[in-house]
Amino acid sequence: MTTDMQQAFETRVRNSYVALNAKQFDVILANWVEDGVQRCTGRHALGGERKGKHAISAWLQRAGRLMPNWRFDVENVWVTGTPDKADVLVRWTLTDLDPVGNPWHAHGMSYARFVNGKIVEQDLCLDSQAVAEAFAAKAKAGLEEAAAAPI
């Protein structure tokens, strides 16, 4: 991939995180193939593996409900491959608010494999302990879904 193509891909990825912060899930899902696979580390309501756009959509909706004030700050984007087959790694920091309004943070990385411009596979590796603790506090405060089994 040429430098110009890498820059264009990086811009596309960064714009996806802008859409994610705005909870524009239709924009996010437009980047996926129908039978894509998404995994998230940790034993919490967002952990585990999902297959297919419908399950990924349900996961995004749940994530939005559990973290209504989320913000992903993208720190780095790495792109390798060709426009037909690209690997993308994104390093970010997630910030949300706990039940009393204090911010909490989870650092993480996302790996995505693109084929023909669409995501076929994504792995989210994050500070799952921070997420589990934040969700436990939210469940204790009455947000039952924070203690739900993964989708």
Side-chain angles (χ1 to χ4, degrees):
M1 192 178 300
T2 67
T3 303
D4 288 343
M5 284 188 241
Q6 285 176 316
Q7 185 61 44
F9 221 99
E10 179 180 337
T11 298
R12 178 181 168 196
V13 169
R14 286 182 181 277
N15 287 340
S16 291
Y17 279 85
V18 170
L20 187 62
N21 283 335
K23 295 186 178 57
Q24 296 173 331
F25 300 138
D26 55 330
V27 173
I28 302 303
L29 291 168
N31 289 308
W32 283 84
V33 296
E34 287 299 321
D35 60 348
V37 177
Q38 189 263 6
R39 291 174 288 272
C40 181
T41 58
R43 294 184 184 195
H44 48 74
L46 296 178
E49 179 176 288
R50 282 132 305 275
K51 295 179 181 175
K53 263 189 181 180
H54 180 74
I56 295 165
S57 176
W59 183 88
L60 285 166
Q61 295 294 328
R62 174 180 277 181
R65 288 189 300 273
L66 294 177
M67 298 179 287
N69 300 294
W70 77 20
R71 176 166 178 80
F72 286 87
D73 291 306
V74 174
E75 296 160 20
N76 303 95
V77 178
W78 296 273
V79 180
T80 187
T82 67
D84 293 339
K85 290 185 179 180
D87 293 302
V88 177
L89 188 64
V90 182
R91 188 170 68 107
W92 42 261
T93 299
L94 164 66
T95 302
D96 190 42
L97 300 178
D98 70 13
V100 295
N102 296 316
W104 62 273
H105 308 283
H107 300 284
M109 298 183 93
S110 301
Y111 162 78
R113 185 168 55 94
F114 285 76
V115 175
N116 297 322
K118 299 278 188 174
I119 301 170
V120 298
E121 176 182 30
Q122 181 187 53
D123 287 290
L124 303 175
C125 301
L126 66 152
D127 182 347
S128 57
Q129 186 65 36
V131 174
E133 289 173 4
F135 287 3
K138 289 178 183 228
K140 187 175 180 180
L143 183 58
E144 292 178 17
E145 191 174 18
I151 292 175

